[in-house]
Amino acid sequence: MTHVMIVGSGPTGLTLAVELARRGVDLRIVERSPEPPTGVRGKGLQPRTLEVFDDLGVIDEILATGRPYPSLRSYQGDQVVWEGRMDEPREPSAGVPHPNLIMQPQWRTEAILRDRLAELGHRVEFGAEVTDVEQDADGVTAVLGTGERVRSAYLVAADGGRSTVRKRLGVPFRGETYDSERMSLADIRTRDLDREHWHVWGSLAGRSVHFSICPLPGTDVFQLVAPHSGRAGERDSGPDSGRDDLLALVAEHAPHVRIDEVVWRSEYRVNIRMADRFRVGRVFLAGDAAHVHSPAGGQGLNTGVQDAYNLGWKLALGREALLETYEDERMAVAEHVLGLSTRLYRDNDLKRGGDTDQLGLAYPRSALSAGERGGERLGAYFAEQRGTGFLLVGEVTGEHGWPVLPPLPGQEGVLLVRPDGYIGYHGDESGLSAYLSGFGIAAPRADAAS
């Protein structure tokens, strides 16, 4: 029996697969699509996600092939009327090693994660659609379109906003779908714009944007994003569908810009929804299967990555008391982020601040968080955090078996840092054993610690 079955191979499913694979957990990851995607959907990787990718061993490739977001250039026709930035670049620091938003086409992020997964001995099974899910006290059975029945101890649905698994579980997906607010995405080629700016037509001050054209790093294409005012289309409807609408839109507002080719095009309706539950028995919901956002602020992809990073170590340890915390921790975050992305969308504001970088997200009310700093992101010792174990920070007298690092300035008591970089326990060393036993966490033997 497979320990964990992952349904869906977007950034959420792949992050979880890499996290489990590096821990030696037996897994399968299946994807209904017959092949990897090509079009660009999400493209922004937030600082906290970059920290996760650092830990997972893919940050060098992410940074080498991506780039910081370019400055904005706003036009009326062919005249530049404003230039500025989404936010000001920040220098790396001890507490924030990856401070800036990185632009990286989603298809490449997924390819980098698939390569890392292959290094760890696993591959995505494409063309494997889950059509039904059954579970009992001992495990979960996923039924594939081929008729194969896959038995696993746990199943994670990372199969998107239209999640088959969520529907089969009967979990409500509450929120709103804005049928009148559709967006067109297109990957295009043009020789009439430079690749050093994000080009915008419309009034940023008046919060009325006709369309934007953004160069995608490491490619010869741009991403065009526009409110869709034509007839309803199908998602992923191919490069030719809607081409005339796009050409007319650009010709109306930017007649000097010629689109040489529409490489890929998709249309989507704005959805803002969250599942009533993130866990049903042995099945967990993550990423868009659990929450879908407006595109504003680049939160959706990043929140899914954080879901996977939160869940992975808990599944690997397999303690019920740990698994129970996933839903509470991530539902609170998803609710907060949904509110943030919705406000940004309604404001139609391309400028961003620190609220979107996800560095301030924490779990202060979690059952796993004990003491004054419990639930906080540690924000230190990043090199030492790489890997799969816990850390102890502070003056420790007993033998606990985990790496022990010097206390932070002004720190009192000891900090037990979870494998995902958040502080679990903050308090006297004498209370640490009771905390650990409450969640079934066993410290490694001192003579076996690395």
Side-chain angles (χ1 to χ4, degrees):
M1 181 169 71
T2 300
H3 190 62
V4 180
M5 176 77 160
I6 303 169
V7 183
S9 69
T12 301
L14 287 167
T15 296
L16 179 60
V18 171
E19 174 70 344
L20 294 173
R22 69 176 183 154
R23 295 169 178 274
V25 175
D26 185 37
L27 67 96
R28 286 181 70 174
I29 176 170
V30 298
E31 168 61 51
R32 70 167 73 105
S33 299
E35 56 189 18
T38 56
V40 176
R41 293 170 176 83
K43 61 181 181 293
L45 299 180
Q46 300 288 351
R48 178 57 185 155
T49 296
L50 297 175
E51 292 177 1
V52 173
F53 287 165
D54 190 323
D55 185 30
L56 297 183
V58 298
I59 190 63
D60 289 345
E61 187 69 12
I62 289 286
L63 296 179
T65 57
R67 63 167 287 182
Y69 267 56
S71 59
L72 296 164
R73 179 172 278 181
S74 180
Y75 299 82
Q76 293 289 337
D78 61 354
Q79 298 299 307
V80 177
V81 295
W82 181 84
E83 289 193 32
R85 297 197 59 85
M86 190 179 296
D87 52 20
E88 291 302 317
R90 293 173 288 177
E91 291 296 320
S93 66
V96 184
H98 306 293
N100 298 307
L101 180 67
I102 293 296
M103 183 180 292
Q104 182 66 273
Q106 183 172 326
W107 60 261
R108 187 185 290 134
T109 297
E110 294 177 6
I112 291 169
L113 288 169
R114 283 196 304 273
D115 288 345
R116 177 64 174 137
L117 185 62
E119 291 176 359
L120 296 167
H122 295 272
R123 295 186 182 277
V124 176
E125 300 175 40
F126 287 100
E129 181 177 7
V130 172
T131 59
D132 199 6
V133 173
E134 306 162 358
Q135 65 174 313
D136 53 42
D138 300 317
V140 186
T141 301
V143 182
L144 302 184
T146 60
E148 181 184 2
R149 298 173 67 87
V150 181
R151 186 73 170 164
S152 60
Y154 300 99
L155 183 143
V156 179
D159 52 341
R162 301 179 179 183
S163 170
T164 297
V165 175
R166 187 191 65 242
K167 293 174 182 176
R168 298 301 299 171
L169 294 173
V171 176
F173 203 37
R174 302 191 192 279
E176 296 182 83
T177 297
Y178 298 91
D179 289 308
S180 62
E181 299 183 33
R182 300 196 306 275
M183 302 290 290
S184 288
L185 291 179
D187 292 351
I188 65 169
R189 290 191 173 96
T190 178
R191 290 167 289 180
D192 296 328
L193 294 171
D194 70 72
R195 300 188 63 84
E196 300 306 313
H197 297 88
W198 185 346
H199 308 275
V200 182
W201 278 264
S203 172
L204 292 175
R207 296 175 179 174
S208 174
V209 174
H210 303 303
F211 61 90
S212 67
I213 299 178
C214 182
L216 297 172
T219 76
D220 63 348
V221 303
F222 294 77
Q223 184 186 58
L224 187 154
V225 180
H228 183 79
S229 58
R231 62 181 178 83
E234 297 294 328
R235 289 177 57 131
D236 300 328
S237 48
D240 296 326
S241 177
R243 177 183 171 90
D244 290 345
D245 290 342
L246 284 176
L247 292 175
L249 179 68
V250 174
E252 178 183 357
H253 297 286
H256 64 293
V257 177
R258 294 161 296 177
I259 296 178
D260 299 320
E261 182 180 2
V262 179
V263 181
W264 171 89
R265 182 178 181 273
S266 178
E267 177 190 314
Y268 67 91
R269 295 171 299 172
V270 174
N271 279 283
I272 300 171
R273 293 181 177 273
M274 190 169 87
D276 273 9
R277 304 177 63 182
F278 284 15
R279 181 188 185 187
V280 179
R282 290 176 169 268
V283 180
F284 299 83
L285 305 180
D288 286 357
H291 43 79
V292 292
H293 307 247
S294 85
Q299 298 296 288
L301 181 158
N302 293 275
T303 304
V305 167
Q306 304 303 322
D307 289 345
Y309 196 53
N310 180 288
L311 181 58
W313 68 276
K314 298 172 183 178
L315 282 171
L317 291 177
R319 301 291 186 265
E320 178 57 27
L322 290 176
L323 294 172
E324 285 180 354
T325 67
Y326 169 73
E327 182 175 74
D328 288 342
E329 290 186 346
R330 294 310 298 172
M331 283 190 78
V333 167
E335 187 173 14
H336 167 78
V337 173
L338 279 170
L340 172 63
S341 59
T342 301
R343 289 193 302 274
L344 290 171
Y345 176 72
R346 289 296 170 217
D347 289 345
N348 198 16
D349 184 1
L350 288 175
K351 294 183 76 65
R352 299 292 180 260
D355 288 344
T356 60
D357 62 19
Q358 300 201 345
L359 295 174
L361 297 178
Y363 308 120
R365 297 178 180 85
S366 171
L368 265 175
S369 302
E372 182 180 355
R373 295 194 59 189
E376 290 183 12
R377 166 181 163 272
L378 180 64
Y381 292 127
F382 288 98
E384 291 81 359
Q385 286 185 59
R386 294 187 185 117
T388 60
F390 292 78
L391 293 177
L392 281 170
V393 180
E395 299 291 344
V396 175
T397 59
E399 294 290 342
H400 295 282
W402 285 306
V404 179
L405 302 170
L408 301 174
Q411 176 186 330
E412 296 182 1
V414 299
L415 305 175
L416 177 69
V417 184
R418 300 163 21 163
D420 57 359
Y422 291 90
I423 297 167
Y425 175 85
H426 177 203
D428 293 337
E429 183 183 355
S430 60
L432 188 56
S433 294
Y435 171 85
L436 293 171
S437 63
F439 294 100
I441 302 171
R445 299 193 322 272
D447 60 2
S450 58

